[in-house]
């Protein structure tokens, strides 16, 4: 899928033919409840996808499956050529390629910001501490909070914490980033600073999958918007077309509710 | 209300009203008394009852202490000195003080050793208690202390505790060098190294048993308050790691591990400590190698440690459950494995939450060490009930001895629980 | 392409998958754990088999049927030294339950009083209660038991002190004598009930079994009437609530309830012919009545006052946990202080207080085993004490002893879990 629309603010970026994530016929149940039904999704390197949908539609579960935080029961997920199987080696490989940001940041409160960022590089990537700290400072500067490096998460505002969480993921040098409602636990005035960081990341060509309700962000950054309902992908399209002329009735209803006021 | 409002909504204050003192009768001690002691007639009655109670208590205790005597070598002499003035016969404490502290079998010319160990405790413990205020290297003192204290109290060649410590250090070094290749491998390397060092140390200590030797004291000779302290400190320290493992096991997704931990914890928590002490006294020996020499104090330490570890496991389980699920997920998503996630992320936080609970268990356990007097060990309570009250000189004296025992336990337990509350306050304001 | 539901790798099963693959990993670890457990318990068992003492004696519970040959000074049911060890243990178990029940009741009373008073805005009472709590929590319960036992054995007068025209001591209200052997209390019995005994012949300790059964039956009748009163009061309250829902006015039920509580029970006792057998001084000792040995009294009182201190803290914490906001919200709705307490604060506080309260009851039950220190013949004193020493059957006795406490604890835990579950349901 190539970008054609140049009217929007979407920055022009290369999307290669290389496949980053390939999901085929994936199904998941919680007990007897069918949360994800026959999900098919191909993400190319450099693509930025926004997933939206009503709560309980399975969008968070979908991206948590990609990071093996949840186990799917049927179908296949291949990330960067590595199949997600029960082999822990594959799971570890995928997790070190894929970064994840959570709704509630999930920073480690007993570690400083810097330690939060260097922990995984030191213990998982086996990088020397000094080098890991250098990388961490580089990314903290990128998210514009290098001066907070020696504070604890509890001393930072929500927006700052979420930016630290992004930096923490980036320190693992992931090739794909997953965002699980990164702004929905934030006060309105802090949403923008997090979105700015995400936009910056998108402009640098990171492959991104975002579950979010920030439709402005979707318009500006995404090259594909996916609407999910009842555990299924109901509609996907380029943002312009998606917002202008949704084809499915359920999509229309959802968009009217979310954009209506 | 005011005219300004009646005329218009807009209002601008142009002068500042200075703060005024409250009406005179609302201040001072009388007000305090009226509010805190005589607010209602019911409250007034309560106050009078409380004052009466305090009067009764004081009128009994004060003359007993003030008129008490520290002279005399038997109850009869004491009574002669007191002439029935209601004073206490504290002479028994003066005369039997060493027995209350060390029991009646610890050689008196060696008492300086446990005393020294006791005072070193005040050097060794602060680094662990005030870890947030003191530099980290001071923890080395804490780490050395158990081995030094063992040498001082039990005696023997210094090689025994030295190699025990060396084994721990070597094991840790082996662990941290191989850990990067995997936690299990590192653990195995650490254990093997430690065992090797201990084995060599055992041989050497046997060979050079006169090297830097302190006169050995058998476990049976331990007694008095020292026995309570030794049992309390040793068992709490040993039960912490076991409790952590049990708590993790109970949270585990492996049914066999989880099942074992649940059964163990519920079993131990379901029976009184006394029955476990009976096990140590009369049953445990059946299940140990017939030729091995496990003396009673060691068997008691084993059972009390198991007892305490079950309770500590439950406290830590509470701490683990209190952590938000997001912490586990964040650790997972960063690619940390189970051992790393537990050691770096989960346990540091869970243990911090659990500290007050652990301290409570420790205080409870320390109080429970008095139960060993039931299986005829001579701890503080055992000394009072046994040798002292049975002696011809002091038979019939109760209040002074029990008051001393109460005071000793109270000082230690109250101190620990106050520390725990202080720590709780510190942790509340800490980084969060 | 591999999926979770695929069969194992097509290129064959490799040994490393046992540790690496999520599907096999848990089995591998559990197998290792099982082997380790088997080895450990096998080692214990092999030691036991090689143990000379056990080899000779074996494991045999037959000793329970043998005559015990020792006396028990506090017998709730008939027992002689010719009775079996089993019966002795049974009496011990009953004695355990008696003192546990008594101590639970009084500890709750002490605890609630002290907990509430500690929160009172009366400064001196608050401090006094804090002193009580700290003093008892920080000193071992064994010391308290021994102190109270010592007091009751040495400070209270001997029975002979009640003798003579001008005795040094006199029974309280003329019916209950507190002596250094224990408390002599009046014993209730029935003159008109089932298997009634004529008024002038008080039943003595050696009553035949039929009479024992009859006496129990009479008490069951009393209990049944009490239960009926309870149900009736609940019915009245339900009716009042219904009326309140229908008309908006709650009818006053105070006097009805008071009557329902007391009138039936008093009538029943009158009909059954309740009499009190008062202990009398004969010679140098009291005869008749009930003797609560001072070992029982010491254990009961010490456990109550010690555990009361812990319960006080639970109560205080429970009340403090209800935020000020709740009280203020209820007051803002116009509820009077009494209603605020009964409708808003207490229901929430009880939910917090009851689980730790039950675990305190468990602690009391386990701590009754300290009876052995003062010679009260509870289960630890009979089965774990004299029986064990006489028969030398250490393993069997300790196993039975643990089993008893374990079953009791598990039952109480089950009750507690059921309660927690019911509370959790209401939360939704």
């Amino acid at each position: 899928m190539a970008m054609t629309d140049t009217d929007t603010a979407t920055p022009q970026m290369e999307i290669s033919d290389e496949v980053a994530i390939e999901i085929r016929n994936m199904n998941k149940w919680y007990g007897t409840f069918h949360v994800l039904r026959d999900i098919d999704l191909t993400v190319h390197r450099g693509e930025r996808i926004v997933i939206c949908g009503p709560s309980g539609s399975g969008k968070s579960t979908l991206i948590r499956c990609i990071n093996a935080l949840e186990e799917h029961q049927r179908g296949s997920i291949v990330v960067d050529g590595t199949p997600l199987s029960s082999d822990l080696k594959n799971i570890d490989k995928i997790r070190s390629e894929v970064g994840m940001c959570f709704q509630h940041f999930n920073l480690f409160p007993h570690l400083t910001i810097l330690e939060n960022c260097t922990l995984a590089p030191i213990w998982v990537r086996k990088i020397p501490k000094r080098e890991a700290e250098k990388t961490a400072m580089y990314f903290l500067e990128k998210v514009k909070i290098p001066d907070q490096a020696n504070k604890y998460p509890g001393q930072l505002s929500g927006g700052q914490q979420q930016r630290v969480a992004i930096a923490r993921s980036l320190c693992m040098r992931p090739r794909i980033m997953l965002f699980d409602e990164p702004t929905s636990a934030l006060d309105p005035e802090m949403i923008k600073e997090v979105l700015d960081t995400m936009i910056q990341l998108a402009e640098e060509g990171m492959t991104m999958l975002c579950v979010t309700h920030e439709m402005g962000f979707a318009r500006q950054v995404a090259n594909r918007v996916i609407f999910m309902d009842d555990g299924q992908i109901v509609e996907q399209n380029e943002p312009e077309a998606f917002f202008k002329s949704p084809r499915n009735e359920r999509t229309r209803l959802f968009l009217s509710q979310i954009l209506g006021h | 209300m005011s005219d300004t409002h009646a005329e218009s909504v807009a209002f601008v204050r142009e002068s500042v009203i200075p703060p005024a003192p409250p009406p005179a009768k609302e201040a001072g001690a009388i007000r305090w008394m009226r509010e805190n002691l005589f607010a209602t007639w019911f409250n007034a009655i309560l106050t009078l009852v409380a004052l009466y109670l305090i009067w009764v208590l004081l009128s009994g205790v004060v003359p007993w202490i003030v008129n008490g005597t520290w002279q005399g070598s038997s109850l009869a002499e004491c009574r002669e000195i007191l002439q029935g003035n209601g004073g206490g016969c504290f002479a028994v404490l003066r005369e039997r003080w060493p027995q209350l502290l060390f029991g009646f079998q610890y050689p008196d010319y060696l008492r300086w050793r446990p005393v020294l160990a006791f005072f070193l405790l005040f050097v060794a413990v602060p680094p662990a208690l005030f870890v947030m205020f003191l530099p980290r290297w001071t923890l080395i003192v804490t780490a050395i202390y158990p081995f030094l204290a063992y040498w001082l109290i039990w005696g023997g060649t210094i090689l025994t505790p030295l190699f025990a410590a060396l084994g721990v250090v070597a094991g840790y070094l082996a662990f941290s060098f191989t850990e990067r290749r995997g936690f299990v491998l590192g653990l195995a390397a650490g254990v093997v190294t430690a065992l090797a060092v201990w084995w060599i140390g055992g041989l050497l200590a046997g060979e050079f048993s006169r090297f830097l030797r302190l006169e050995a004291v058998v476990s049976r000779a331990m007694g008095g308050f020292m026995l309570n302290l030794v049992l309390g400190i040793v068992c709490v320290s040993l039960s912490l790691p076991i409790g952590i493992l049990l708590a993790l096991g109970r949270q585990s997704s492996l049914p066999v591990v989880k099942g074992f931990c649940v059964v163990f914890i519920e079993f131990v928590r379901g029976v009184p400590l006394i029955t476990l002490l009976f096990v140590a006294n009369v049953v445990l020996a059946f299940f140990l190698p017939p030729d091995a020499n496990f003396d009673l104090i060691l068997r008691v330490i084993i059972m009390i440690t198991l007892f305490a570890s079950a309770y500590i496991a439950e406290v830590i389980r509470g701490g683990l459950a209190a952590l938000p699920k997001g912490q586990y997920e964040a650790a997972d998503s960063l690619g940390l494995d189970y051992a790393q996630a537990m050691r770096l992320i989960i346990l540091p936080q869970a243990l911090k939450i659990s500290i007050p609970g652990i301290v409570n268990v420790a205080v409870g356990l320390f109080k429970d060490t008095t139960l060993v007097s039931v299986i005829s060990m001579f701890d503080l309570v055992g000394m009072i009930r046994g040798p002292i009250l049975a002696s011809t000189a002091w038979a019939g004296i109760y209040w002074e001895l029990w008051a001393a025992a109460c005071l000793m336990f109270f000082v230690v337990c109250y101190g620990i629980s106050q520390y725990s509350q202080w720590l709780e306050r510190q942790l509340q304001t800490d980084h969060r | 392409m591999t999926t979770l539901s695929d069969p194992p790798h097509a290129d064959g099963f490799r040994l490393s998958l046992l540790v690496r693959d999520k599907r096999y990993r848990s089995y591998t670890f559990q197998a290792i754990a099982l082997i380790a457990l088997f080895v450990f318990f096998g080692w214990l068992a092999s030691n036991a088999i090689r143990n000379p003492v056990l080899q000779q004696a074996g494991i045999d519970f037959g000793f329970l049927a043998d005559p015990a040959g020792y006396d028990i000074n506090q017998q709730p049911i008939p027992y002689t030294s010719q009775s079996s060890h089993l019966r002795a243990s049974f009496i011990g178990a009953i004695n355990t339950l008696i003192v546990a029940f008594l101590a639970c009741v009084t500890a709750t009373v002490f605890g609630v009083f002290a907990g509430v008073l500690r929160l009172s805005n009366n400064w001196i009472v608050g401090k006094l209660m804090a002193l009580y709590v700290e003093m008892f929590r920080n000193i071992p319960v064994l010391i308290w038991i021994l102190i109270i036992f010592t007091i009751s054995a040495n400070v209270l007068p001997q029975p002979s002190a009640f003798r003579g025209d001008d005795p040094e001591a006199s029974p309280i209200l003329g019916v209950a004598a507190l002596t250094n052997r224990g408390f002599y209390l009046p014993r209730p019995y029935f003159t008109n009930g089932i298997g009634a005994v004529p008024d002038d012949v008080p039943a003595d300790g050696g009553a035949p079994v039929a009479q024992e059964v009859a006496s129990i039956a009479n008490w069951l009748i009393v209990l049944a009437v009490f239960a009926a009163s309870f149900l009736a009061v609940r019915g009245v309250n339900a009716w009042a609530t219904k009326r309140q829902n229908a008309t908006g006015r709650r009818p006053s039920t105070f006097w009805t309830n008071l009557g329902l509580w007391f009138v039936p029970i008093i009538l029943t006792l009158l009909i059954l012919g309740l009499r009190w057998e008062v202990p009398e001084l004969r010679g140098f000792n009291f005869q008749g009545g009930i003797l609560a040995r001072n070992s029982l009294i010491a254990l009961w009182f010490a456990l109550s006052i010690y555990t009361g201190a812990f319960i006080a803290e639970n109560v205080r914490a429970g009340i403090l946990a209800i935020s000020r906001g709740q009280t203020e919200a209820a007051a803002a709705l116009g509820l009077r202080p009494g209603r605020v307490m009964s409708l808003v604060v207490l229901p929430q506080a009880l939910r917090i207080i009851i689980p730790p309260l039950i675990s305190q009851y468990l602690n009391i039950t386990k701590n009754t085993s300290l009876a052995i220190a003062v010679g009260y013949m509870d289960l630890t004193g009979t089965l774990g004490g004299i029986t064990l020493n006489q028969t030398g059957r250490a393993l069997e006795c300790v196993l039975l002893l643990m089993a008893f406490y374990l079953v009791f604890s598990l039952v109480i835990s089950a009750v507690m879990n059921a309660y927690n579950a019911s509370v959790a349901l209401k939360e939704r």
Side-chain angles (χ1 to χ4, degrees):
Chain A
M1 183 180 291
M3 281 287 299
T4 50
D5 194 348
T6 49
D7 297 340
T8 60
T10 314
Q12 267 300 333
M13 264 165 292
E14 287 299 308
I15 295 176
S16 70
D17 291 337
E18 199 188 330
V19 174
I21 303 173
E22 169 111 52
I23 300 175
R24 283 279 156 268
N25 201 20
M26 196 252 280
N27 279 275
K28 174 168 178 60
W29 288 263
Y30 284 129
T32 56
F33 176 55
H34 201 166
V35 257
L36 291 178
R37 308 178 192 175
D38 287 340
I39 303 288
D40 279 297
L41 179 67
T42 306
V43 182
H44 292 270
R45 183 152 312 294
E47 245 193 318
R48 297 162 306 278
I49 295 178
V50 163
I51 306 174
C52 59
S55 68
S57 59
K59 47 195 193 317
S60 286
T61 313
L62 171 62
I63 68 166
R64 287 158 62 87
C65 279
I66 296 172
N67 207 3
L69 286 178
E70 307 266 359
E71 224 171 278
H72 61 286
Q73 279 104 9
R74 199 192 294 157
S76 71
I77 300 176
V78 180
V79 181
D80 264 340
T82 312
L84 183 57
S85 67
S86 53
D87 191 334
L88 285 176
K89 216 163 199 173
N90 290 358
I91 294 179
D92 286 345
K93 187 150 181 284
I94 289 174
R95 280 182 176 159
S96 61
E97 306 251 308
V98 179
M100 174 128 185
C101 291
F102 299 87
Q103 182 179 3
H104 296 289
F105 335 131
N106 294 351
L107 293 178
F108 305 129
H110 63 303
L111 302 176
T112 63
I113 301 305
L114 191 61
E115 286 166 339
N116 261 285
C117 292
T118 55
L119 182 92
I122 290 175
W123 290 92
V124 181
R125 287 252 194 255
K126 322 282 187 204
I127 292 171
K129 190 175 172 197
R130 189 174 293 262
E131 209 175 301
E133 282 177 352
K134 238 170 78 186
T135 318
M137 285 314 291
Y138 170 77
F139 283 112
L140 285 175
E141 256 159 55
K142 249 181 96 164
V143 301
K144 306 195 180 66
I145 32 179
D147 45 329
Q148 315 278 14
N150 289 318
K151 290 196 179 164
Y152 284 89
Q155 297 166 301
L156 269 57
S157 75
Q160 288 174 321
Q161 289 196 41
Q162 191 61 290
R163 283 185 283 153
V164 171
I166 294 173
R168 180 175 73 176
S169 300
L170 292 177
C171 284
M172 287 292 281
R173 303 279 187 183
R175 306 181 68 185
I176 302 166
M177 285 288 287
L178 308 176
F179 292 88
D180 187 0
E181 309 207 18
T183 55
S184 51
L186 295 178
D187 291 337
E189 73 268 24
M190 294 173 181
I191 291 178
K192 187 174 176 300
E193 58 186 60
V194 171
L195 288 181
D196 285 347
T197 309
M198 289 168 65
I199 291 167
Q200 189 189 350
L201 204 59
E203 283 168 351
E204 289 166 10
M206 175 67 78
T207 313
M208 289 163 68
L209 245 74
C210 308
V211 172
T212 181
H213 291 140
E214 296 295 332
M215 290 305 142
F217 173 77
R219 266 187 232 267
Q220 190 182 349
V221 175
N223 31 29
R224 191 161 23 136
V225 180
I226 293 176
F227 175 69
M228 285 185 73
D229 196 7
D230 267 349
Q232 304 150 56
I233 296 184
V234 173
E235 185 165 350
Q236 53 174 315
N237 210 336
E238 289 164 15
E240 190 68 11
F242 180 84
F243 289 115
K244 213 172 259 171
S245 51
R247 278 164 295 181
N248 188 297
E249 179 55 34
R250 278 192 280 179
T251 319
R252 268 199 288 276
L253 186 66
F254 176 74
L255 285 177
S256 73
Q257 279 169 347
I258 194 169
L259 302 171
H261 47 85
Chain B
M1 283 243 291
S2 73
D3 300 328
T4 43
H5 279 267
E7 287 163 15
S8 73
V9 182
F11 165 75
V12 178
R13 177 168 299 288
E14 275 153 3
S15 62
V16 178
I17 301 174
K25 64 172 183 175
E26 287 297 315
I30 293 175
R31 176 192 171 207
W32 183 89
M33 275 181 60
R34 214 186 52 228
E35 280 193 357
N36 290 301
L37 298 179
F38 302 100
T40 61
W41 60 267
F42 178 69
N43 235 325
I45 292 176
L46 276 182
T47 305
L48 293 180
V49 171
L51 285 175
Y52 174 72
L53 259 176
I54 292 172
W55 166 249
V56 169
L57 279 177
L58 287 183
S59 64
V61 171
V62 169
W64 182 66
I65 294 177
V66 171
N67 295 337
T69 174
W70 292 83
Q71 304 304 319
S73 58
S74 73
L75 186 56
E77 283 182 33
C78 247
R79 292 219 168 111
E80 219 162 284
I81 296 170
L82 287 173
Q83 302 285 350
N85 64 2
C89 175
F90 300 110
V92 65
L93 298 180
R94 190 178 50 82
E95 212 212 38
R96 297 300 176 114
W97 185 240
Q99 286 196 351
L100 288 175
L101 283 189
F102 305 105
F104 62 114
Q105 284 169 314
Y106 204 91
D108 44 5
Y109 57 94
L110 295 180
R111 280 179 192 146
W112 63 272
R113 279 166 30 186
V115 169
L116 181 60
F118 180 71
F119 283 111
L120 284 178
L121 196 64
F122 292 97
V123 180
V125 167
L129 293 189
F130 305 104
V131 73
M132 55 282 264
F133 299 122
L134 293 171
R136 289 215 128 193
W137 63 263
T138 51
L139 279 174
I140 296 174
V141 181
T142 315
I144 293 175
Y145 179 75
F147 304 101
L148 186 63
Y150 170 85
W151 187 50
L152 283 174
I153 294 178
W154 273 273
T157 169
I158 197 173
L159 288 177
T160 315
L162 190 65
F163 273 95
L166 276 182
V168 173
V169 172
Y172 178 75
L173 287 180
F175 168 74
S176 55
F177 276 126
T178 45
E179 193 206 1
R180 298 215 147 188
R181 305 226 207 122
F183 180 77
V184 179
L185 191 71
L187 200 64
V191 170
V192 168
T193 315
L195 286 179
V197 173
W198 286 334
W199 183 66
I200 296 170
L203 289 183
L204 282 177
E207 197 68 22
F208 303 100
S209 60
R210 310 200 67 77
F211 180 74
L212 269 183
R213 185 171 175 277
L214 286 180
E215 188 179 330
V217 180
V218 290
S219 297
R220 270 196 316 283
M222 305 287 144
F225 200 53
M226 177 179 76
L227 181 60
N228 294 112
L229 281 173
V230 167
L231 285 178
I233 293 172
V234 170
C235 294
V236 168
S237 332
L238 292 180
S239 62
L240 252 179
I242 302 178
I244 292 174
L245 289 181
L246 282 172
L248 290 179
R250 198 169 178 170
Q251 297 280 72
S252 157
S253 57
L254 310 176
V256 169
V257 176
K258 182 178 179 154
F260 172 77
C261 293
V262 168
V263 168
F264 177 85
I265 292 173
E266 291 307 321
F267 174 79
V268 170
R269 279 160 37 95
V271 300
L273 178 57
I274 281 216
T275 58
L276 293 176
L277 292 178
F278 281 169
V279 169
N281 195 16
V282 289
V283 177
L284 195 59
F286 295 149
F287 294 100
L288 296 172
D291 43 344
N293 179 27
F294 284 89
D295 60 12
L296 180 59
I297 196 170
L298 197 57
R299 299 197 306 253
V300 164
I301 285 177
I302 292 175
M303 293 319 285
I304 298 186
T305 302
L306 293 182
F307 178 77
S309 59
Y311 284 83
I312 285 185
E314 281 302 275
V315 171
I316 293 176
R317 185 168 75 114
L320 288 173
L323 278 194
K325 214 173 146 228
Q327 293 291 313
Y328 294 84
E329 288 179 351
D332 273 353
S333 76
L334 287 173
L336 299 175
D337 62 29
Y338 177 80
Q340 289 170 338
M342 286 301 143
R343 202 154 56 89
L344 301 170
I345 308 296
I346 305 302
L347 281 179
Q349 298 183 61
L351 287 179
K352 200 157 136 184
I353 304 173
S354 317
I355 287 176
I358 293 176
V359 173
N360 268 347
V361 173
V363 170
L365 188 83
F366 178 59
K367 288 187 293 176
D368 280 347
T369 55
T370 52
L371 266 59
V372 298
S373 65
V374 173
I375 55 169
S376 56
M377 286 171 80
F378 292 99
D379 74 320
L380 180 59
V381 173
M383 282 307 297
I384 295 177
R385 294 182 68 198
I388 298 181
L389 284 184
S391 65
T392 45
W394 299 109
I397 192 162
Y398 316 98
W399 295 105
E400 292 78 4
L401 289 167
W402 289 125
C406 284
L407 196 65
M408 285 155 95
F409 274 100
F410 184 83
V411 167
V412 176
C413 294
Y414 187 72
I416 301 176
S417 60
Q418 287 301 303
Y419 163 74
S420 151
Q421 284 171 20
W422 171 83
L423 193 64
E424 219 170 325
R425 285 194 298 273
Q426 288 294 312
L427 293 179
Q428 267 169 7
T429 53
D430 183 35
H431 328 312
R432 291 209 187 201
Chain C
M1 200 167 291
T2 330
T3 71
L4 289 182
S5 51
D6 274 350
H9 288 263
D11 50 352
F13 178 81
R14 294 186 308 275
L15 215 55
S16 67
L17 280 183
L18 277 183
V19 184
R20 250 179 45 195
D21 195 296
K22 264 207 249 165
R23 280 167 300 180
Y24 310 122
R25 191 181 164 82
S26 71
Y27 293 110
T28 315
F29 285 160
Q30 295 194 61
I32 295 173
L34 263 186
I35 291 171
L37 279 180
F38 271 121
V39 168
F40 180 68
F41 282 105
W43 179 71
L44 292 183
S46 81
N47 286 334
I49 290 169
R50 281 187 295 146
N51 188 286
V53 180
L54 268 191
Q55 259 174 1
Q56 208 183 17
I59 296 177
D60 180 10
F61 288 92
F63 71 92
L64 286 172
D66 298 344
Y70 59 88
D71 253 327
I72 294 180
N73 55 22
Q74 189 99 42
Q75 309 169 358
I77 58 171
Y79 170 88
T80 67
S81 59
Q82 290 310 303
S83 306
S84 66
H85 282 295
L86 187 63
R87 192 165 179 86
S89 311
F90 188 59
I91 289 184
I94 294 179
N95 279 341
T96 295
L97 295 181
I98 287 176
V99 73
F101 175 77
L102 291 175
C104 284
V105 173
T106 40
T108 312
V109 174
F110 287 156
V112 170
F113 257 99
V116 171
L117 282 182
R118 197 174 170 186
L119 284 173
S120 90
N121 35 21
N122 187 318
W123 182 83
I124 199 163
V125 171
K127 287 286 175 239
L128 206 60
M129 289 304 130
L131 178 73
Y132 158 66
V133 168
E134 292 302 344
M135 194 163 123
F136 279 86
R137 280 203 315 171
N138 288 309
I139 294 173
V141 63
L142 182 60
I143 293 187
W144 287 122
I145 293 175
L146 290 169
I147 288 179
I148 295 174
F149 182 67
T150 311
I151 295 174
S152 68
N154 293 286
V155 176
L156 290 177
Q158 289 186 337
S160 57
F162 291 83
R163 264 156 49 91
D165 295 330
D166 185 22
E168 298 162 46
S170 58
I172 297 172
L173 301 175
V175 293
L178 312 187
T179 76
N180 66 352
R181 293 179 186 213
F183 294 1
Y184 289 90
L185 305 170
R187 189 176 72 92
Y189 66 99
F190 297 108
T191 49
N192 289 332
I194 306 168
V197 198
D199 200 0
D200 48 359
V201 187
D204 56 7
V209 177
Q211 254 182 27
E212 286 292 325
V213 173
S215 158
I216 291 173
N218 286 327
W219 283 111
L220 282 180
I221 293 174
V222 173
L223 202 69
V225 171
F226 200 68
S229 290
F230 174 71
L231 289 178
V233 166
R234 279 191 58 165
V236 167
N237 284 343
W239 167 80
T241 309
K242 219 169 150 188
R243 277 293 298 272
Q244 187 183 15
N245 289 345
T247 65
R249 266 172 209 285
R250 189 177 181 86
S252 164
T253 54
F254 180 77
W255 292 110
T256 335
N257 282 349
L258 203 67
L260 278 173
W261 274 123
F262 287 101
V263 173
I265 201 86
I266 291 173
L267 277 180
T268 316
L269 293 178
L270 281 178
I271 291 169
L272 287 175
L274 178 77
R275 294 285 184 281
W276 294 93
E277 183 195 38
V278 177
E280 280 172 46
L281 195 61
R282 294 200 193 137
F284 287 93
N285 213 338
F286 282 92
Q287 299 285 324
I290 299 177
L291 169 60
R293 299 242 163 211
N294 51 12
S295 53
L296 167 66
I297 301 292
L299 193 63
W300 173 18
F301 190 62
L303 284 178
S304 312
I305 200 159
Y306 175 79
T307 316
F310 287 85
I311 293 178
E313 280 302 274
N314 293 337
V315 169
R316 187 171 80 110
I319 295 175
L320 283 180
I322 306 307
S323 67
R324 227 188 149 71
Q326 291 286 316
T327 323
E328 285 170 356
L333 287 172
L335 292 173
R336 275 178 288 116
R339 289 258 182 254
V340 171
M341 201 55 173
S342 67
L343 293 177
V344 177
V345 175
L346 269 189
Q348 297 186 61
L350 278 184
R351 188 178 293 184
I352 301 173
I353 293 170
I354 286 186
L357 189 66
I358 294 180
S359 72
Q360 292 300 344
Y361 290 167
L362 268 180
N363 284 345
I364 288 184
T365 311
K366 286 187 278 178
N367 278 338
T368 55
S369 58
L370 294 175
I372 198 169
V374 288
Y376 178 67
M377 297 302 267
D378 75 329
L379 188 65
T380 313
T382 53
L383 182 64
I386 305 180
T387 295
L388 188 152
N389 285 334
Q390 281 189 0
T391 60
R393 295 273 170 193
L395 187 59
E396 294 89 336
C397 286
V398 173
L399 271 181
L400 286 176
L401 191 60
M402 285 178 147
F404 170 80
Y405 286 108
L406 196 60
V407 167
F408 192 82
S409 300
L410 290 181
V411 168
I412 299 217
S413 300
V415 171
M416 177 155 76
N417 288 341
Y419 171 81
N420 283 342
S422 75
V423 168
L425 271 182
K426 282 180 203 147
E427 246 170 17
R428 297 218 176 123

